[in-house]
Amino acid sequence: MAPGITEHTATAFDVDLQSLSRMVAEMGGYVEQLLVQSIEALTKRDFYRANRAVYTDDVVDSLQRQIEEKAIVTIATRQPLAVDLRDIVAILRIAGDLERIGDLAKNIGKRVTILTEHEMPARAVRGMRHVATLALGQLRDVLDSFVSRDVSVAIAVWQRDKEIDAMYTSLSRELMTYMVEDPATIGFGIHLLFCAKNIERVGDHATNIAEAIHYMVEGRPFADDRPKSDATAAISVPVSVTH
């Protein structure tokens, strides 16, 4: 009788795990949609897309709560050990990072109202689109890696994070140059800097997800330190004060 009970419990856990994986994949789809909406809202100064981004983030938050609740119930009722428990922990980590990406994208959308009062420099628009394209590619690839459990894709995402950092550093320098040359653009430029930083952080969270997938599949973290190329801490903006 014991083997039958064990088999039944294992089967029930597999069903729960598959359900959690589907929920994470669904959440990832909404987060991807949210990021696209917020970037389009920013670069085209589109109120409609900005409002859609706020609404979509509510859906993302709701899915994260559902995933957490189901994971807790699964742990309590199935009492998974070793590999099974590792899968649940990784799923919770991934859902948490997806929720943070949703927040970052929503924050970009919420700044659109302020930025509509200013004309965005063409080069800044191109730079913003470029770094956003890199971050969106990271997100899409890491979600594909999760669905397929292809750790090689997760590793590639992890290694490419430095590309987003380098692009963000370049864009930040450009925006700061605008502000130094024309003090009237400072307020506008600061909002754009926050948006650029949010996009760079999307790449960081995608890399977190890649690390969770590697842990889920391989049972160990990455052996090397995360590659980083963000040099913005060394950038300073000269400020002139007139009396």
Side-chain angles (χ1 to χ4, degrees):
M1 184 174 181
I5 294 174
T6 302
E7 181 179 353
H8 175 75
T9 302
T11 302
F13 174 79
D14 289 341
V15 171
D16 287 348
L17 187 61
Q18 289 170 9
S19 177
L20 282 166
S21 294
R22 284 193 298 269
M23 292 168 73
V24 169
E26 181 184 4
M27 185 181 180
Y30 277 110
V31 170
E32 181 182 333
Q33 177 185 339
L34 172 54
L35 184 58
V36 170
Q37 287 170 343
S38 65
I39 297 304
E40 289 297 305
L42 174 64
T43 57
K44 296 181 179 179
R45 293 183 293 178
D46 187 324
F47 282 114
Y48 174 75
R49 285 191 174 94
N51 290 331
R52 290 290 300 171
V54 174
Y55 166 77
T56 304
D57 186 58
D58 291 339
V59 178
V60 169
D61 291 344
S62 176
L63 278 169
Q64 190 210 14
R65 288 192 295 271
Q66 293 175 43
I67 290 168
E68 287 182 346
E69 290 168 2
K70 185 169 184 60
I72 291 170
V73 170
T74 299
I75 291 171
T77 57
R78 312 303 180 198
Q79 298 182 347
L81 300 173
V83 176
D84 292 339
L85 182 59
R86 188 174 76 209
D87 287 346
I88 297 288
V89 170
I91 281 174
L92 285 170
R93 286 173 56 188
I94 292 168
D97 277 296
L98 286 175
E99 190 273 336
R100 287 296 300 126
I101 293 174
D103 285 345
L104 292 166
K106 181 182 73 173
N107 289 342
I108 294 171
K110 289 170 71 174
R111 291 183 183 271
V112 171
T113 304
I114 300 170
L115 294 173
T116 52
E117 300 173 3
H118 304 269
E119 188 67 31
M120 282 184 70
R123 287 182 61 185
V125 173
R126 288 195 297 271
M128 200 71 72
R129 281 192 175 278
H130 190 179
V131 70
T133 298
L134 292 176
L136 185 59
Q138 290 283 77
L139 176 61
R140 286 171 172 163
D141 286 350
V142 84
L143 290 173
D144 288 343
S145 173
F146 172 75
V147 171
S148 64
R149 299 298 196 270
D150 188 342
V151 75
S152 66
V153 176
I155 292 172
V157 168
W158 186 80
Q159 292 172 334
R160 292 203 312 266
D161 184 53
K162 60 185 177 182
E163 296 176 17
I164 297 177
D165 291 340
M167 185 61 204
Y168 164 67
T169 299
S170 175
L171 179 58
S172 296
R173 287 196 175 108
E174 185 172 337
L175 290 172
M176 289 179 182
T177 299
Y178 283 130
M179 289 187 280
V180 170
E181 293 176 350
D182 182 3
T185 66
I186 289 177
F188 167 71
I190 287 173
H191 285 295
L192 282 183
L193 279 172
F194 274 115
C195 289
K197 183 60 181 178
N198 284 345
I199 295 172
E200 187 270 336
R201 289 290 296 146
V202 167
D204 288 340
H205 286 287
T207 305
N208 289 346
I209 294 172
E211 292 175 348
I213 293 168
H214 187 276
Y215 168 74
M216 174 187 287
V217 175
E218 299 292 332
R220 54 184 172 79
F222 282 100
D224 300 323
D225 293 333
R226 180 181 299 191
K228 299 293 291 181
S229 298
D230 181 1
T232 52
I235 302 174
S236 61
V237 183
V239 178
S240 60
V241 180
T242 57
H243 298 279

